[in-house]
Amino acid sequence: MLRLAVFVSGRGSNLKAILEHSELENLIKVVVVFSDKVECGAFEIARKYGIETKVIGKGDNKISNENLLDVLRNYNLDLIVLAGYLKLVPVELVREYENRIINIHPALLPSFGGKGMYGMNVHTAVFNSSAKVSGATVHFVNAEYDKGKIIAQRCVDISDVKSAEEIAERVLKIEHQILPEVIKAFAEKRILVQDNRVIIKS
Ligand code: GRF
C-alpha cells in the first residue's frame, strides 16, 4: 500500500474524492492530514475516516516548518499530495521528496498560476480573460508556486459560463477525477519522468 500524507487548507473536497475513490481502496492509505489551519472542513473529513490530523504553524501543539521534515519521516511516506494547501512547501521537503509531492491546481498551467493564484482568484482571472476553456492540472511540486513539471491536465468548456463561480463548479468536478487518477497511476508506478516531460503509461 502506498502511504500518503495529504496537505490541505480548506473544505477538503479533493481529500474526500481521494478517500472515496473505489479504485484507490486497495492501493493507498492516507496516514496523516496536515493543515496550516487549526480547523477546516478537510480535518472533519479526516477525522470521520479516523485519519490523524496535524497543524503546521507556530505555537503550542503545532509543527513548525523547521520540524516538518522530521515529523514526515516518521510516517514513512511514499507520496505527499497537496490538495488545496495554500502555503509554499519548505524547500528541504521538495528536495527529500523529489517527484513524490504532487499538487492539484484549478486551471490549465502554466497559465493562471503562481503566488496569489488560488481558489476564486484563479477562476475570476480565467473568467475575466474570456478564456473559452479551463481545467485542472496535477503537477509535481518544486520550490516555486505552480511551476513543477505537469503530470496530467483535463479541460472543460467554459464558453457559456455567466460567472467565475460557474467555472469553479465545473473545474472542481474535473479535479475530483484527475487527482485520484494520477494517484492511482503513481501507486501503479506508471508515472515516468523523462527529461522535461512526465509520461503516464497506460
Ligand atoms: C481546489 O480547487 C484546488 O484545486 C485548489 O484549492 C481548492 C481546494 O478545494 N488548490 P478542496 O479543499 O479540495 O475542496
Side-chain angles (χ1 to χ4, degrees):
M1 281 246 191
L2 199 79
R3 292 174 64 80
L4 253 76
V6 181
F7 283 47
V8 296
S9 296
R11 101 201 112 174
S13 69
N14 277 290
L15 171 66
K16 191 162 178 273
I18 296 168
L19 294 168
E20 291 184 352
H21 196 82
S22 58
E23 289 175 43
L24 288 179
E25 214 175 302
N26 300 316
L27 285 177
I28 65 144
K29 185 174 168 56
V30 178
V31 290
V32 59
V33 172
F34 286 90
S35 180
D36 57 316
K37 301 281 185 305
V38 175
E39 203 38 78
C40 57
F43 268 1
E44 277 173 39
I45 294 166
R47 283 195 289 266
K48 219 171 90 190
Y49 279 83
I51 301 166
E52 199 179 342
T53 58
K54 297 252 179 223
V55 182
I56 301 168
K58 294 193 180 100
D60 291 350
N61 302 320
K62 293 184 187 164
I63 297 157
S64 65
N65 264 335
E66 291 71 32
N67 292 333
L68 187 55
L69 191 53
D70 280 340
V71 174
L72 285 171
R73 282 184 184 134
N74 290 330
Y75 288 100
N76 207 4
L77 298 167
D78 299 298
L79 180 67
I80 296 173
V81 178
L82 311 187
Y85 185 61
L86 299 181
K87 291 277 160 65
L88 204 57
V89 174
V91 71
E92 314 83 69
L93 243 86
V94 174
R95 263 191 235 121
E96 174 133 344
Y97 293 93
E98 194 192 6
N99 294 340
R100 288 191 295 151
I101 311 180
I102 63 173
N103 179 49
I104 176 95
H105 184 76
L108 297 172
L109 292 174
S111 296
F112 307 109
K115 200 171 185 322
M117 276 301 206
Y118 60 86
M120 281 312 293
N121 294 355
V122 178
H123 303 299
T124 304
V126 172
F127 184 75
N128 290 336
S129 77
S130 187
K132 302 302 172 213
V133 289
S134 191
T137 302
V138 179
H139 63 94
F140 283 121
V141 171
N142 65 12
E144 287 176 273
Y145 280 109
D146 305 322
K147 285 282 174 65
K149 290 191 184 83
I150 293 172
I151 305 168
Q153 292 186 301
R154 192 159 300 153
C155 305
V156 63
D157 183 354
I158 54 163
S159 54
D160 60 337
V161 296
K162 303 278 182 299
S163 66
E165 285 71 21
E166 238 181 288
I167 300 177
E169 218 174 279
R170 288 187 196 183
V171 169
L172 195 63
K173 282 199 189 116
I174 308 254
E175 290 183 52
H176 296 164
Q177 297 164 2
I178 194 176
L179 184 57
E181 280 172 23
V182 169
I183 294 171
K184 182 168 185 276
F186 191 94
E188 292 171 344
K189 301 195 185 335
R190 288 188 288 111
I191 299 185
L192 306 180
V193 182
Q194 292 178 346
D195 303 318
N196 282 329
R197 310 240 1 127
V198 181
I199 291 149
I200 303 185
K201 287 198 296 183
S202 49

